[in-house]
Amino acid sequence: MKDAHGRPVTGRVSWRKFAVLSVPALAGTAALGIALANGALAASFAVSGQQFKVSADSLKGDGFAQYGSVDTNAREDLLPVAVTAIKTAQLDHLCQSVVTHLPVVGDISLNLSAGTGRTPVEATDLFVDATQLSGNASFHQIEIGRDASTLDKGPDGARGMQDLFAQQADDVSISKLRQTAWATNAGTFKLSGLSMKISKGKKECF
């Protein structure tokens, strides 16, 4: 989408607002039953009982799609998510963190960082099942309000249920990316300068 001067639409995006529009259609028992019957679940595996946080100074991606769906955990609980799917993505200064609380020991933090040098993190066919996402975003040729079952700009299989709200764009650029997610899938994930640390206490990316 472009403005009157032909410039791409830019602005600060709160993905919580997107989730408010897309997820309620999945909240009813009937809709969730249809999703299960059709195999329309987001992650291809049972997610853990813990969400994790991801941040990046910037994300640049080609082939963007976003739609509402559900994840399931090992207890078969249904977890509404907003799926962000990108064909190819590059991320600078990636941070991932998860905090586990253990009896007696207390909080234990797992922190992962990559792409902090000249080489960014690279991913193909990236799917992120998020419950919160924020940042400063810019899109080219964005389509908002498209039927989720007809998406065709994202990775193969990046489609939701018929009649549900979705959006897609030729490309996306997000600075100051902050998101909380249940799961991430990728065809390939190249982590340059990978560093992983485990420490006591609560130490999160944001």
Side-chain angles (χ1 to χ4, degrees), residues 2-68:
K2 298 182 179 181
D3 61 18
H5 300 287
R7 294 172 299 204
V9 173
T10 60
R12 183 172 179 81
V13 175
S14 173
W15 297 106
R16 291 180 181 176
K17 294 180 180 178
F18 170 80
V20 167
L21 292 173
S22 61
V23 172
L26 290 169
T29 303
L32 290 176
I34 293 172
L36 290 170
N38 293 337
L41 297 177
S44 58
F45 52 85
V47 302
S48 75
Q50 298 174 281
Q51 295 192 69
F52 55 93
K53 292 186 175 182
V54 177
S55 67
D57 286 355
S58 66
L59 177 152
K60 294 181 180 180
D62 291 324
F64 167 87
Q66 193 171 59
Y67 52 94

Side-chain angles (χ1 to χ4, degrees), residues 104-109 198-203:
V104 181
V105 178
D107 290 332
I108 300 294
S109 296
I198 296 179
S199 57
K200 292 187 66 175
K202 191 172 184 179
K203 300 177 182 178

Side-chain angles (χ1 to χ4, degrees), residues 168-203:
Q168 65 176 7
D170 287 351
D171 57 65
V172 59
S173 177
I174 304 176
S175 63
K176 297 182 180 179
L177 172 67
R178 303 289 184 268
Q179 66 182 358
T180 305
W182 284 112
T184 295
N185 291 325
T188 61
F189 208 33
K190 298 180 180 179
L191 302 169
S192 61
L194 173 64
S195 174
M196 186 180 73
K197 297 180 181 179
I198 296 179
S199 57
K200 292 187 66 175
K202 191 172 184 179
K203 300 177 182 178

